Amino acid sequence: MSLSINAVARTQEGKGASRRLRNEGLVPAVIYGGDTAPVSISFKDNELLKAVATPGFLTGLVEVTVEGKTEQVLVKALQRHPSSGAVMHMDLQRAQADKTITTRVPLNFINAAQSEGVSKQGGRLTIESKLAEVRCLPANLPEVLTVDVIKGQLDQIFHLSDVILPEGVELVSLLKGEDHDQPIARIGKSKR
């Protein structure tokens, strides 16, 4: 599922122009990458606020339409105001269908309550990592990666190698070797 958002091309750049845009209820952004020159754009802040709150916006592919032309992009950087949390600027990278992309994808841990370590041994699943960095073609980018912990025992540690990978998706850390198989969750004694 790809999210869509409309943008408007902008010609003025720099701090002053960005400040004026924000005062008008717009958020400056830039689309870069691929074989095309970078494009400066702006989003309506209320539309962007809804999009940012949507699950998968920051980790999945987003369709941005600028003056009738639609491009698939990844959110590479999002700057927020330190006190209000309002989005101040965004960097978007073009995703080309034939080029691999590297991004972070949420981890979804399933069946914890049914695992022996939790249900019979009194343990509790503690999640140590909520995201994993993947490399794949844009068409293969998953919304989430699943980790099935049904066979989990007390004091068991789950690693990146326990992630169920869809076809065409690789974990960047595991490409570096076995010693990069980081722990992502564990079943430990419940503190009651």
Side-chain angles (χ1 to χ4, degrees), residues 64-86:
V64 176
T65 304
V66 182
E67 298 174 356
K69 184 182 174 201
T70 301
E71 294 188 87
Q72 284 200 326
V73 298
L74 289 168
V75 176
K76 280 300 183 178
L78 184 118
Q79 297 168 358
R80 292 184 182 267
H81 188 276
S83 61
S84 70

Side-chain angles (χ1 to χ4, degrees), residues 103-142:
T103 189
R104 293 177 180 258
V105 175
L107 294 172
N108 181 28
F109 296 86
I110 60 170
N111 297 322
Q114 292 83 16
S115 72
E116 193 170 308
V118 173
S119 66
K120 294 180 182 161
Q121 298 170 341
R124 183 174 145 209
L125 181 71
T126 303
I127 297 170
E128 296 179 10
S129 183
K130 293 182 179 182
L131 298 171
E133 192 172 32
V134 299
R135 187 171 79 181
C136 62
L137 291 173
N140 296 338
L141 183 64

Side-chain angles (χ1 to χ4, degrees), residues 122-178:
R124 183 174 145 209
L125 181 71
T126 303
I127 297 170
E128 296 179 10
S129 183
K130 293 182 179 182
L131 298 171
E133 192 172 32
V134 299
R135 187 171 79 181
C136 62
L137 291 173
N140 296 338
L141 183 64
E143 286 185 39
V144 297
L145 292 172
T146 302
V147 182
D148 191 352
V149 296
I150 189 86
K151 295 180 181 175
Q153 301 291 320
L154 192 62
D155 296 327
Q156 182 172 347
I157 299 173
F158 295 92
H159 293 85
L160 282 173
S161 57
D162 295 313
V163 173
I164 301 168
L165 290 175
E167 191 172 327
V169 178
E170 300 173 303
L171 289 169
V172 173
S173 290
L174 295 183
L175 295 173
K176 298 174 185 174
E178 281 185 33

